[in-house]
Amino acid sequence: MIEAGSLIRSLSGRPAARNFHTFVINEIGLGIVTGKFPVGSILASDAVMMESYGVSRTVLREALKTLEAKGLVEARPKVGTRVSPTSRWSLFDPQVLSWHYYAKPDRRFYESLFDVRRALETRAAALAAQRRTAENIRVMKYWLHQMDSAGGDLENHGIAALEIHRAVADTSGNAILRSVTGIVELTLALALRQVGKTGAEAYLQASLETLTALVTAIGDSDSAGAGMIVEQVIDLDEACVVAALS
């Protein structure tokens, strides 16, 4: 499992693995997503990987089972462990998504991310406006305050923004819509990475203003307004990510 927000917290560098099992999953999974281990290739033998990663056979096998459950590899007797086609990858899995942060920029993939985010988040925002409670709005306003207090720190701003998106998804009351969190975090991290290179002040201010408007619309039970405003939030992140491709 990957903790929500861990990708944004790693903007200053790749996160350290918590244990050997996590380490092996990250190394192989990242290698697959970034193309170090190409689709269709056969991974090294157990003996070679055990030596390379410094782990026992048990740890290696458990890691490979986890990667197989995510659709990244397939183990076959007398053949070995083959890297699966991308069509089989579990792209709603937050960990699989997080590895794409380190992959070569891919316009078509980025467009797909924003297509899905737009479809799910606009619906989540509309439902949140219908179902919100005073406590839901209190939580969102708390994170707005954290954004406002971030003082230009990209990671703190990003974590607070992500928490608002998570709160909106939770408030929607639709468990399926909550699955958008991993996509939100990846696209948000990609946007923050870009503005960190080009100047973040205008983005951070626009992000705070649009999310404040979103929380206000949800608090006012304005479903149509909430849906329109979340589109603006997404457009802001997409513009930053697309700028990185030019």
Side-chain angles (χ1 to χ4, degrees):
M1 291 294 292
I2 181 171
E3 181 183 357
S6 60
L7 180 57
I8 292 175
R9 291 187 182 94
S10 71
L11 286 171
S12 55
R14 278 183 57 192
R18 290 174 296 178
N19 52 51
F20 285 126
H21 180 251
T22 304
F23 168 72
V24 177
I25 292 172
N26 280 337
E27 289 299 303
I28 299 177
L30 183 66
I32 290 171
V33 172
T34 59
K36 178 182 177 181
F37 306 128
V39 167
S41 65
I42 304 294
L43 297 181
S45 67
D46 285 4
V48 171
M49 286 195 285
M50 287 163 56
E51 182 176 356
S52 297
Y53 300 125
V55 297
S56 67
R57 186 179 300 275
T58 299
V59 169
L60 176 63
R61 289 290 176 85
E62 287 302 314
L64 291 175
K65 284 181 181 178
T66 299
L67 291 168
E68 189 165 16
K70 295 176 185 293
L72 269 67
V73 299
E74 180 182 14
R76 291 187 176 181
K78 299 182 180 180
V79 174
T81 302
R82 186 188 301 276
V83 177
S84 300
T86 55
S87 60
R88 297 183 186 176
W89 297 2
S90 300
L91 290 176
F92 271 93
D93 184 301
Q95 195 168 30
V96 176
L97 283 169
S98 72
W99 291 325
H100 282 83
Y101 177 80
Y102 305 99
K104 182 179 178 181
D106 182 329
R107 180 180 294 273
R108 181 65 62 85
F109 180 71
Y110 289 170
E111 289 173 348
S112 298
L113 289 174
F114 282 104
D115 283 345
V116 173
R117 181 178 167 186
R118 188 168 281 105
L120 296 184
E121 274 209 294
T122 51
R123 180 58 178 162
L127 286 174
Q130 297 171 21
R131 299 171 176 174
R132 95 290 184 277
T133 64
E135 176 61 16
N136 296 143
I137 301 303
R138 187 198 68 78
V139 170
M140 293 179 201
K141 287 184 175 180
Y142 167 80
W143 288 111
L144 281 175
H145 176 70
Q146 294 301 109
M147 285 182 72
D148 195 26
S149 304
D153 183 283
L154 293 181
E155 290 185 26
N156 288 337
H157 178 100
I159 289 295
L162 177 63
E163 290 298 337
I164 293 171
H165 287 287
R166 292 181 69 197
V168 171
D170 286 340
T171 304
S172 76
N174 186 317
I176 304 299
L177 291 177
R178 292 176 188 144
S179 64
V180 76
T181 300
I183 293 175
V184 173
E185 181 168 3
L186 174 57
T187 52
L188 182 56
L190 290 168
L192 290 169
R193 181 172 66 184
Q194 177 62 15
V195 299
K197 298 175 183 177
T198 59
E201 185 175 351
Y203 169 85
L204 296 181
Q205 184 61 35
S207 175
L208 176 60
E209 290 175 357
T210 50
L211 284 172
T212 298
L214 174 61
V215 173
T216 298
I218 292 173
D220 291 342
S221 298
D222 181 1
S223 293
M228 291 175 61
I229 295 167
V230 84
E231 288 260 14
Q232 297 172 19
V233 175
I234 296 169
D235 287 345
L236 180 64
D237 288 342
E238 185 170 20
C240 293
V241 174
V242 170
L245 300 172
S246 58

